[in-house]
Structures are given as structure tokens and as C-alpha cells.
Amino acid sequence: MTEPQQAAHDGVPDSVAAWEERYAGTGDAIWSGNPNEALVAAVGSLPAGSVLDVGCGEGADAIWLAAHGWDVTGIDLSQTAVDRAAEAAGAKGITASFEVADVSSWCPAGSNSGEEHPHRGGYDLVIGCFLHTRLPDTREELVGRSAEHVAPDGRLLLISHAQMPPWAKNHDEELGHGLGHHHERVSPNGDFALLIGGSPARWEIELGELRTREVEGPDGKPSEIDDSVLLAHRITD
């Protein structure tokens, strides 16, 4: 997960600090360590190439991709998340690159801030799983920033909450994350509309679907929730 890097605005805490607080607030991993099932289903048949994981978190998706032959770069706003991702990859003997970075201003380590990242517009696949926006930024801007890194004939995969579980808002407040997420109802067609509105490239939908998965609430009770899955193909001119 990721969100635009910015200072506090209208009472919203600084995004880097908020995400770092969430990850560093516990000594244990906050995610399962398993790859997203929708990602596995969507890209499992694609030929391996270079992939950018935007908002890689603790690296489960990136590690799965690297284990299946992809040349993986994962970026996240949280240093703790990136450290955990690198540690998890190393423990499994997996080679992947992880950096603390914001997708909107990312430059390679050791380069001048004004230089273009060598892979900008050069990744065969860019993934964004459960990306979060924060007012005043819009989801269209975030989708467009991610799409900038997709190479011609490459793909953008967006996996998003099509609906939020009823406990989500209170659960964040109880845990004191202070993230102030701006949740928007997401659908594959809606994300595709944002993509073509925020990217000058030409795109087509390769996969657009809602996937139902089982989740467990903070009270331990099982439930189901729908995720939006969009795999968009960048058309070459």
C-alpha cells in the first residue's frame, strides 16, 4: 500500500510518519506474509519480466513474484516495512530490491533528485494492491503516477477494496493508526476510467472483475468482502 507523500493538510497527519507509525508500532509483521490471491490469479500466466510493486508493505507479493522469475523492485513509504520485506526475502533466499520511496517522486539511490528514474516508463508490470489516497490528492492522480512506470506493451494491476468491511473504520481508530484514510468505492470500470483520465498513454482492459474473499473481523468472526481487480494493458502506438 502507498499514498502520496505530503505534509499535514487539513488535520491529516503526514503520510510517511503515519505509515511508519503503523508498521513500527508492533514488533511483529502486520500482514500474513502470503501473496494476494487475486494477484496470483491475475499474473500467474504472464511471462516474467520487470515489475514494480507500489506500496509493497512487508513484501509478500514482491517475494512471490521474484520466486516466480520476475525482476522485482518494491517501494513503500515506511522504512520498517521495507526492512521487513528485505529481511523476509533474504530469509527465503529470494533476490528483490526494496526502497523507501514515494511513487510520485521516486529516483534511484545515489542519483540527483532531478534525474529521471531509469525504469520510469520501463516496467513490464506495475502493481498496486490496496493503494490508499488522502485528501486533497485524488485516486486518479495516484493511478496516473503509478501508470507512468509502465512500459509500452506493459501492464498495470490494481487490486482494491470494492467495499469496506463494517468494522474497518472503528478498527483503525481502536488501534490508533491515525491514518485518516479516504475510502472511495472502487470498481474495475471506475479504476479504468481514472487510468485513462490520468494517463496520456492508450490502455485496454485485459481483466476486470470483482473477486470475493473470506476475511476475519477483529472479533474473530468470518465474513466475505469483494475486491476490485483491474489488469490494464498499455497499447503500443
Side-chain angles (χ1 to χ4, degrees), residues 1-232:
M1 294 183 295
T2 188
E3 55 189 332
Q5 182 176 348
Q6 62 183 56
H9 182 92
D10 294 338
V12 177
D14 174 80
S15 59
V16 175
W19 281 109
E20 176 59 17
E21 179 183 358
R22 180 169 190 180
Y23 282 104
T26 173
D28 300 320
I30 64 175
W31 307 119
S32 69
N34 299 318
N36 189 301
E37 292 181 1
L39 177 141
V40 172
V43 308
S45 62
L46 296 179
S50 59
V51 57
L52 171 65
D53 185 354
V54 178
C56 65
E58 293 162 333
D61 292 336
I63 291 170
W64 183 88
L65 287 161
H68 287 77
W70 291 82
D71 178 9
V72 179
T73 298
I75 62 173
D76 199 277
L77 297 178
S78 166
Q79 181 69 61
T80 296
V82 166
D83 289 345
R84 288 178 182 170
E87 182 179 358
K92 294 182 178 182
I94 298 295
T95 299
S97 174
F98 296 100
E99 299 181 34
V100 177
D102 177 350
V103 68
S104 66
S105 58
W106 179 36
C107 290
S111 72
N112 295 323
S113 60
E115 292 182 4
E116 191 79 356
H117 192 287
H119 275 100
R120 184 179 292 277
Y123 282 94
D124 299 309
L125 176 66
V126 173
I127 64 173
C129 296
F130 305 112
L131 301 179
H132 292 277
T133 53
R134 188 189 300 275
L135 293 172
D137 296 281
T138 68
R139 184 170 178 82
E140 180 176 314
E141 291 171 328
L142 181 54
V143 169
R145 290 165 181 166
S146 300
E148 289 178 359
H149 295 278
V150 179
D153 201 37
R155 293 169 175 85
L156 175 68
L157 175 65
L158 299 175
I159 301 174
S160 313
H161 295 298
Q163 64 185 107
M164 297 301 298
W167 65 79
K169 181 176 184 295
N170 291 336
H171 187 44
D172 275 350
E173 290 175 352
E174 289 169 6
L175 292 178
H177 296 327
L179 294 179
H181 294 158
H182 174 50
H183 293 301
E184 303 169 88
R185 186 172 180 82
V186 177
S187 69
N189 286 338
D191 262 350
F192 186 70
L194 296 180
L195 173 59
I196 61 177
S199 170
R202 296 172 57 226
W203 300 86
E204 63 182 1
I205 296 177
E206 195 161 297
L207 172 68
E209 65 178 11
L210 294 180
R211 290 179 59 94
T212 300
R213 61 184 169 96
E214 294 185 356
V215 295
E216 184 177 288
D219 58 1
K221 294 181 179 179
S223 184
E224 291 185 339
I225 188 170
D226 287 336
D227 291 331
S228 167
V229 181
L230 172 67
L231 181 65

